[in-house]
Amino acid sequence: MKAEIGVLGMGVMGRSLSRNLARNGFVVSIYNRHVDGVEENVARDFKAAHPELAEAAMAYDDISAFVQSLAIPRKILLMVNAGPAVDAVMEDLSAHLEENDILIDAGNSHYQDTIRRIKTMKERNLHFIGSGVSGGEKGALIGPSIMPSGEYKAYQHISRYLEAIAAKDSNNQPCCAYIGEQGSGHFVKMIHNGIEYAEMQLLAECYSILKAQKESNESIANIFEQWMEDQGSYLLQISVDILRKKEGDAYLLDLILDKAANKGTGKWATSTIADSGEPATMIPAALFARYLSSFKDQRTKAEALFSSPKEYLSILNDKLKEAYQFARIINHHQGFSLIKNVSDQNAWQVNLSEVARIWTAGCIIKSDLMKDISVTLNQADNLLFNEPWCSQLSATHSATQQVVIKCMENQLPIPCLTAALNYFHGIKIGDGSANLIQAQRDYFGAHTYKKKNDPSERSYHTVWEG
Ligand code: 6PG
């Protein structure tokens, strides 16, 4: 008997996806490399430890036997770390693959790497699908959000597996949708992570504001829990759980070092934002907040050097919630505008509403807001100019301003809330100050400028001195 699909790599995500496939009735081959004394019989032991794999899985640590165990065209999910490891396993597999076999990279690969890999594989009549997968270990096991891309005809061979194991939305539709050609799936996953960074940072900022008001962890948890009523999201819910978690008599959160790490997708998103020309300011703000947090020694030294206000903040919880709501709308608006911009540049034709829909369940940024956004993006490609978002931004703008002003007066850093507000103020100024930038550029570099009220849009240059 041949297996329908293979999973290569028995790390956390590979193990969970294998079990998910088996539970959905597929016969699966699982493989983990053999490294003497370090990784031995990993797949076999994993199979033995999970009853659902007993009948449904075949376990290998020999790559040739693994490949030969698969039905043709072979479909292999690559579950290895993004980066050189993906190229290395592709190299290991290459001698064993035959025309039309399909590799599916379900890790957090850079979308440009995916574009390159699709091209290399195509030259050998092999197919490569780059797929974003979100939901962490638990999501992979019970139903992640899946964002596949590459050649559509190759996707058709694997859609039934991915759709079966994906989370289901509120209409019981799979949170898996073909995103487009090339690396669009990994691109969309990268922006998912960027939005995730900003959503996490916003919650950290709200937490810091409430802490500065001397609220206890328990009371912050209660406040966040109230917000769940109309701002429900996975990240807000886990923050409630985190705030309440104790280790002995202490709150675990208070024991955790305040240095945020990252695995690189936020950095990639930020570089892509810079390359794209899209003013998506909140993702970079969230990334740099993480970088700043890692400068613990300098922060401690600077705290002793510079004075801080003694007053305690006082911001009404309702106002803070409105500011949080305002900034989340801007964050999602920026994220989806960025997807649209890069999709247009690459002619990917990414369906924004479908992206939002497959992010309503299974993934880290699933939320009630995302459900409403999916509805809007079905008819429009922008949140800023469409209801209910216009009205919500107008209604929450003043509270956001008050929160930002209070935090500035109290020297409390809130880079994401501020970025959201500045973006909003910037985007709604029809006549701004960039005329001075253009004049300066022309002054020192003869870069030219265009004039208001000149429909020909011709370029002007002035000799500014003398
Ligand atoms: C997901 C997560 C997942 C992972 C991030 C963490 O969607 O399941 O985004 O991909 O948790 O890569 O990223 P950082 O380590 O950079 O925070």
Side-chain angles (χ1 to χ4, degrees):
M1 185 182 61
K2 298 276 188 188
E4 292 162 89
I5 188 162
V7 180
L8 184 153
M10 289 292 105
V12 170
M13 295 295 279
R15 291 199 299 262
S16 296
L17 285 179
S18 307
R19 290 176 63 196
N20 191 344
L21 282 162
R23 264 207 332 272
N24 276 286
F26 299 116
V27 177
V28 54
S29 275
I30 57 176
Y31 165 85
N32 197 83
R33 66 180 176 183
H34 174 98
V35 182
D36 277 343
V38 186
E39 288 175 62
E40 294 184 354
N41 298 317
V42 175
R44 195 191 67 186
D45 293 349
F46 176 65
K47 174 182 167 173
H50 295 89
E52 73 257 57
L53 298 178
E55 297 291 318
M58 299 184 271
Y60 298 92
D61 63 3
D62 174 79
I63 200 155
S64 165
F66 166 67
V67 174
Q68 294 317 314
S69 74
L70 297 164
I72 287 173
R74 301 184 180 92
K75 303 151 201 86
I76 304 176
L77 267 170
L78 306 181
M79 300 306 305
V80 294
N81 287 336
V86 179
D87 293 309
V89 294
M90 286 173 69
E91 183 62 34
D92 291 347
L93 282 166
S94 66
H96 308 283
L97 297 175
E98 290 173 66
E99 264 187 26
N100 292 321
D101 286 350
I102 305 164
L103 299 185
I104 308 132
D105 174 14
N108 269 335
S109 288
H110 194 293
Y111 75 100
Q112 297 288 6
D113 285 339
T114 304
I115 292 174
R116 167 178 59 80
R117 287 168 185 145
I118 290 174
K119 201 162 161 272
T120 322
M121 291 276 287
K122 200 175 158 75
E123 283 159 10
R124 298 188 46 211
N125 287 325
L126 295 165
H127 302 292
F128 191 87
I129 296 286
S131 183
V133 174
S134 175
E137 181 178 6
K138 194 167 167 209
L141 184 63
I142 62 172
S145 172
I146 307 181
M147 299 145 244
S149 66
E151 281 179 280
Y152 187 64
K153 68 173 195 255
Y155 173 68
Q156 284 173 310
H157 284 282
I158 57 160
S159 58
R160 71 192 197 96
Y161 307 102
L162 300 188
E163 288 176 11
I165 62 171
K168 303 296 176 288
D169 68 13
S170 54
N171 294 318
N172 207 29
Q173 294 304 302
C175 288
C176 169
Y178 174 73
I179 302 295
E181 295 283 326
Q182 302 184 325
S184 53
H186 276 137
F187 167 77
V188 160
K189 173 61 181 19
M190 179 183 78
I191 305 309
H192 166 285
N193 282 27
I195 295 172
E196 173 186 300
Y197 273 49
E199 291 288 291
M200 292 166 76
Q201 175 62 26
L202 283 174
L203 282 166
E205 290 174 17
C206 291
Y207 160 68
S208 76
I209 291 168
L210 291 165
K211 243 174 87 162
Q213 301 190 116
K214 298 284 159 207
E215 298 283 3
S216 67
N217 288 357
E218 196 56 50
S219 104
I220 300 173
N222 293 340
I223 292 164
F224 281 1
E225 197 161 51
Q226 281 161 16
W227 291 7
M228 281 295 291
E229 283 166 24
D230 62 354
Q231 286 297 309
S233 77
Y234 171 77
L235 285 169
L236 184 58
Q237 181 58 59
I238 66 166
S239 303
V240 172
D241 297 346
I242 288 166
L243 281 155
R244 291 194 175 135
K245 184 81 177 168
K246 288 202 146 181
E247 189 172 271
D249 289 338
Y251 284 96
L252 179 55
L253 185 56
D254 297 341
L255 305 178
I256 295 177
L257 189 64
D258 59 332
K259 287 167 78 168
N262 78 91
K263 291 217 181 86
T265 47
K267 184 183 77 177
W268 295 345
T270 298
S271 308
T272 303
I273 289 165
D275 289 341
S276 73
E278 185 71 27
T281 52
M282 291 183 68
I283 295 171
L287 176 75
F288 297 143
R290 287 198 192 187
Y291 287 179
L292 183 63
S293 80
S294 71
F295 281 58
K296 179 80 173 171
D297 292 345
Q298 287 195 36
R299 287 193 286 120
T300 310
K301 205 167 155 190
E303 186 178 35
L305 191 61
F306 301 108
S307 66
S308 294
K310 302 278 174 289
E311 299 287 301
Y312 295 133
L313 255 183
S314 80
I315 292 172
L316 294 173
N317 291 343
D318 284 352
K319 299 282 175 215
L320 183 57
K321 188 174 118 183
E322 284 182 36
Y324 174 60
Q325 189 182 351
F326 175 94
R328 290 189 69 213
I329 296 170
I330 299 288
N331 182 29
H332 286 75
H333 162 68
Q334 290 188 346
F336 281 102
S337 299
L338 176 61
I339 293 175
K340 171 150 175 45
N341 180 332
V342 177
S343 168
D344 288 351
Q345 285 179 23
N346 289 281
W348 285 334
Q349 298 180 307
V350 173
N351 181 331
L352 299 181
S353 174
E354 266 297 88
V355 171
R357 185 191 66 74
I358 65 171
W359 288 349
T360 61
C363 71
I364 304 299
I365 57 172
K366 63 185 176 188
S367 68
D368 295 339
L369 176 71
M370 196 66 82
K371 292 180 191 162
D372 297 337
I373 286 174
S374 174
V375 174
T376 305
L377 293 176
N378 208 5
Q379 282 117 35
D381 57 17
N382 184 298
L383 299 188
L384 195 63
F385 299 114
N386 289 286
E387 291 298 353
W389 315 108
C390 291
S391 302
Q392 287 194 22
L393 286 171
S394 298
T396 52
H397 176 216
S398 154
T400 311
Q401 256 182 301
Q402 290 169 43
V403 169
V404 168
I405 289 166
K406 279 267 182 194
C407 289
M408 290 297 147
E409 282 171 357
N410 286 269
Q411 301 176 25
L412 199 66
I414 44 158
C416 263
L417 282 168
T418 317
L421 192 60
N422 270 325
Y423 173 86
F424 186 67
H425 290 167
I427 201 84
K428 70 183 188 68
I429 284 193
D431 195 19
S433 57
N435 47 339
L436 179 59
I437 307 287
Q438 284 299 82
Q440 289 165 339
R441 291 177 70 244
D442 190 55
Y443 189 116
F444 61 68
H447 294 299
T448 74
Y449 55 88
K450 298 193 192 310
K451 275 191 172 172
K452 292 172 183 169
N453 305 324
D454 180 352
S456 73
E457 293 200 16
R458 84 173 175 85
S459 296
Y460 294 83
H461 170 59
T462 297
V463 178
W464 293 88
E465 284 167 294

